[in-house]
Every structure is written in structure tokens, then in C-alpha cells.
Amino acid sequence: RTLRARGLHLLPGVIDSHVHFRTPGLTHKEDWAHGSRAAAAGGVTTVIDMPNTRPALHTVERAHQKAELIEGTSLVDFRFHFGVSPHTVETIRDLSPRVATSVKVFMTGHHTAPDVIHDPKVLARVFAVAAETGIRLVLHAEDDGVFALLDRRQGTPRHYDQYERTRPRSGGIVAVTKIIELVRRYGTAAHVLHVSSAEEADLLAAARHIGLPITYETTPHHLSFTAADTHRLGARIRLSPAIRHSDDQQRLWDALVGGEISTLGSDHAPHTIEEKSRPAPDAPPGLPGVQELLTAVFTGLRRRFPHTSVDDSLTLLARVCSAEPARLFGLDQQKGSLTEGLDADLVLFDPEATWLMSARHAHTKNHWSAYEGWTFTGRPTTTIRRGEIIWDGTSFGPAGGVWLDARNPLATEEPATPHHPRATREPAPA
Ligand code: NCD
Ligand code: ZN
Ligand code: ZN
């Protein structure tokens, strides 16, 4: 069969290192059949799935069970971020790089976040153990501990505006400050997730400036929406962390084009339309986005930086959507080697295509998108996973996605170089 590529750009397959495909236990919100189709249609060939399922992903045994549930239903290859609860901190030691290269830490509780670590001593222990084993922590940058206490004291009602716009903003700053301090103390490799505000970006730039091993992610939705869109979209864009203001958004765009941001993760976290239609405080935070990731950010780059060439915009996206996630999470090794060849995970992308996003195009299980009504620029026309076409612009290929672990024949017995370059440990201040 002939593949037409005239006028198209060839990109590395997108690695979305932040999705919630909800298996096991929350499959009314999303499942791998739908989530992975949304991924393929968005140019994504590998996803790293989050652990906040029911039950949460805490043990190696559960990872094998989860992979068994998924294989045969997923179009894309996958890995897992492990979870950690106050009772499973030492379990991190069981994780070989072939099973997982990262552990997600929540410092605040919400709808789908069961494993919260509030106790500062336990949190410090997580950083210490991760530094010893070399595994990377990926952190949900929200900590509203102090504010929650104040709430309880004063009996403050959780007024929507206050909750969305004030408290979680301070929570992000508190969380990032704590993370920086713990990385400084233990030398843990840390990747801060869904960074949303200008203050957080400033703090992280400072941390990087002094050489701490901290990287960060932002999301397509924090780059695409502002609090003003809440009037129109309501709880559809209720997120954790919340959508911020236009000055925050501008800071994030500048950080992206300026090279401060290492990865873009979709934080694809679907809920049903019914769940999202509940009155504001009860509507769960999260939205689908794995399909929109590449196109939404490309659209934003074309609009906001019209003097940047298409080539330069796509080069930037290849870095933050493929090269950096591969490097941070050891996927470059799971996917072959630069000398012996890598898997053919590729996307043909049409930068000239303009098209109207609608619910009809949304392949996520509950078929909705916060981008409905947007005119997108750019479209993945063909997605190829390990040499096999899984999206040809209208239809999907076979569900041959595999767990990129020991069963992957490309993974050597012992990685030639360590998966997790050990972070250099700074001496603790006297
Ligand atoms: C996520 C979810 O629903 O699982 N929601 C969200 O708003 N981001 C949880 C998360 O990513 O922390
Ligand atoms: Zn999170
Ligand atoms: Zn998430």
C-alpha cells in the first residue's frame, strides 16, 4: 500500500508521559480501547499511564496484572508510573528500571487521588529512598495542607471561585517550594507535573539555575485556556491544578519556547459528561487531551509565534513530546538503541490542515472535548507504531500495543548504561 507524504512532515511518534486511562476500576471514565485510539489519532505511539486507579498501582504484581488487562486492547505501547502511599514507601526499592522508572507523588487529595502524602517526614523519606535507588519522582504540584487546616478551622465553605482561583494557586507554590528544598537536600531526580502558574515557573527556573536535577511538564490545556474560559466551559475545564490567568499562560508559553519546559503531557484524565455536569465543587477535576496534545500546541505556536517557521515549531514539539520524555523515563532504551536502530514509531503531520474540532472527532470513551468549536491548525494524518499503521487519517490499525518491560524483545537483560543517571547528591547544610 502506498503512503502519501508529499507536503507532510515526518515526526517521531509522540510519547505522552502523562495519561490516566483508568484501568483498573474507573473504566466508565476511559478504557484502553478508546484511550489508545484517541492517542493514535493524535500522533501518540507510547503512553505512560498514571497509578491513581482502583486499586492504585503499588506493587510489581499489580503491574503485571494491569498489563495483562491492557494487552490486546491497546493500539499504543505503554509503561506505568508507580504510585506511593504512606504505607508503601519502602516498596519503591522493588522497582527495577524494567518495571518502572518513575513514581508519582500526590501531596494533596482530590477526587481521584487516593494516595496522599501529607506527613513531611514520610515525604522526606520518599525523596531519600528515591535518591538511593535512582528512580525519578514525578510530582503533582499542589499542596494545600495549611489552607485545608485553615478551612477546617474557620468552617469556610468551599466557594467555587475561591477554591479554583485562590487556594490551589498558593498550593502550587507551596508544593514547588517543598519539592525544591527536598531535591536540594537529597539530590533526588524530580519531574514536576502540570505546572500552571508564573510563580511556579519562576521558582523552577531558579532551581535549575543552581543546577538541581529538577525538570518540569506543562499541559496543552494550561497553554490553551484561561480562567476567563470558565464562564463558557464551566466544570469541563475544572482541573487539578486549576486553569490560571493570561499572564500565567504567557509565562508558560515563554518557558516552552525558551527551553525551560522539558515535557508536554496531556494529563488525559477523562470523566463522564454526567460527572462533569455536577455543581462545581462536586464535578471532578480532569479532561481528555491525549488526542489534542500535538495539534492544540502546534495551533498555539502558529498563532502566538507566527514568525517562527513550521520546521522550528515541529522541532520544538519533537523535543518536548518525544526526545525528552524518552530520555527522562528510559524509553530510549526500551525502544532499541541509537547504534542498532530504534522502533519505527512515526507520525506524518500535515501542518497546513485546518479543521473544526467537534465531539464527533473525539475518540475518548465519553466523546467530548474542551476544544469543541476550535479551529485547529495541523493534523496527524498517519501514525505508525513499530512499523505498523495504527491511524491512517480515518481508521485504526490493530491493537498490538505492548507493555515496554522485560517481555519486549528489544530490552536487553541488563541495560548497558543505567536507566537512571544517579543524581549528584548535594551535601546537606550543616
Ligand atoms: C487527574 C485525574 O482525574 O485522575 N485530574 C486532574 O485534574 N489532573 C488527577 C491528576 O492528574 O492529578
Ligand atoms: Zn496530577
Ligand atoms: Zn494527571
Side-chain angles (χ1 to χ4, degrees):
R1 154 162 167 211
T2 332
L3 205 58
R4 300 199 154 275
R6 191 182 295 268
L8 306 180
H9 288 246
L10 186 63
L11 301 177
V14 170
I15 297 167
D16 189 345
S17 52
H18 189 160
V19 304
H20 304 257
F21 280 179
R22 308 298 197 198
T23 295
L26 298 167
T27 49
H28 62 290
K29 296 173 190 283
E30 185 62 293
D31 58 32
W32 281 77
H34 290 89
S36 73
R37 263 182 256 155
V44 175
T45 51
T46 304
V47 295
I48 311 184
D49 191 55
M50 284 295 172
N52 57 329
T53 46
R54 307 274 159 78
L57 184 62
H58 287 150
T59 63
V60 175
E61 194 193 351
R62 274 191 199 156
H64 284 274
Q65 290 164 351
K66 178 167 167 168
E68 245 164 63
L69 289 173
I70 296 167
E71 272 173 11
T73 66
S74 177
L75 276 77
V76 298
D77 290 341
F78 54 92
R79 299 253 314 156
F80 305 135
H81 297 290
F82 264 64
V84 59
S85 82
H87 313 289
T88 65
V89 178
E90 301 303 321
T91 315
I92 293 176
R93 297 183 192 283
D94 302 341
L95 302 176
S96 83
R98 286 163 64 182
V99 174
T101 53
S102 48
V103 174
K104 175 154 186 186
V105 180
F106 283 97
M107 298 150 84
T108 186
H110 65 70
H111 181 80
T112 46
D115 295 327
V116 186
I117 298 189
H118 283 306
D119 185 336
K121 285 209 190 79
V122 179
L123 189 64
R125 184 85 198 126
V126 172
F127 275 75
V129 172
E132 273 172 45
T133 65
I135 205 159
R136 191 175 302 277
L137 295 181
V138 294
L139 299 116
H140 186 105
E142 278 187 293
D143 184 313
D144 57 0
V146 177
F147 302 91
L149 285 179
L150 276 176
D151 269 12
R152 233 173 288 151
R153 253 222 172 123
Q154 302 168 348
T156 317
R158 289 187 160 202
H159 187 267
Y160 185 58
D161 266 22
Q162 194 188 342
Y163 182 84
E164 286 295 298
R165 302 207 180 136
T166 316
R167 214 181 59 179
R169 181 180 188 87
S170 345
I173 299 162
V174 171
V176 169
T177 309
K178 278 192 189 175
I179 293 165
I180 292 172
E181 180 51 29
L182 287 163
V183 169
R184 196 184 62 80
R185 203 185 308 161
Y186 296 104
T188 323
H191 188 56
V192 183
L193 301 174
H194 33 46
V195 166
S196 59
S197 72
E199 290 92 336
E200 288 163 59
D202 290 346
L203 286 167
L204 289 162
R208 214 172 132 111
H209 191 68
I210 57 167
L212 295 181
I214 303 189
T215 49
Y216 74 96
E217 167 204 85
T218 194
T219 71
H221 42 267
H222 286 102
L223 293 168
S224 301
F225 302 103
T226 64
D229 294 309
T230 311
H231 299 301
R232 192 168 51 86
L233 293 166
R236 281 195 171 206
I237 54 165
R238 173 163 152 70
L239 286 145
S240 176
I243 293 291
R244 311 292 182 199
H245 302 284
S246 53
D247 48 344
D248 295 299
Q249 196 180 62
Q250 191 54 51
R251 178 71 181 83
L252 293 176
W253 276 109
D254 292 342
L256 178 67
V257 298
E260 291 172 44
I261 290 174
S262 292
T263 68
L264 289 177
S266 72
D267 193 10
H268 179 87
H271 301 284
T272 65
I273 291 169
E274 185 277 318
E275 287 167 328
K276 288 301 251 180
S277 311
R278 291 173 192 164
D282 299 324
L287 52 70
V290 68
Q291 187 180 340
E292 295 90 337
L293 166 66
L294 186 63
T295 295
V297 181
F298 182 74
T299 301
L301 284 169
R302 296 312 295 148
R303 282 200 201 134
R304 285 165 190 269
F305 304 91
H307 302 299
T308 304
S309 69
V310 167
D311 278 0
D312 286 349
S313 296
L314 291 175
T315 302
L316 169 64
L317 287 173
R319 188 175 71 77
V320 294
C321 297
S322 301
E324 278 298 290
R327 190 183 66 82
L328 290 178
F329 300 111
L331 280 158
D332 40 359
Q333 308 208 13
Q334 297 284 342
K335 281 283 180 184
S337 77
L338 285 177
T339 44
E340 283 161 35
L342 291 150
D343 285 357
D345 290 346
L346 300 163
V347 190
L348 285 173
F349 188 80
D350 181 356
E352 305 293 334
T354 53
W355 56 289
L356 184 70
M357 181 62 188
S358 72
R360 196 169 56 82
H361 293 293
H363 295 286
T364 177
K365 186 164 188 175
N366 291 289
H367 302 289
W368 66 273
S369 170
Y371 300 87
E372 284 165 36
W374 275 51
T375 301
F376 277 142
T377 303
R379 193 161 191 265
T381 60
T382 306
T383 306
I384 301 168
R385 185 256 305 121
R386 278 182 287 108
E388 197 159 22
I389 295 178
I390 53 169
W391 165 248
D392 67 6
T394 43
S395 56
F396 296 103
V402 296
W403 185 24
L404 297 171
D405 78 328
R407 278 174 293 173
N408 178 1
L410 285 172
T412 51
E413 194 51 44
E414 279 306 317
T417 51
H419 263 297
H420 323 292
R422 284 286 285 264
T424 36
R425 196 172 175 153
E426 267 213 6

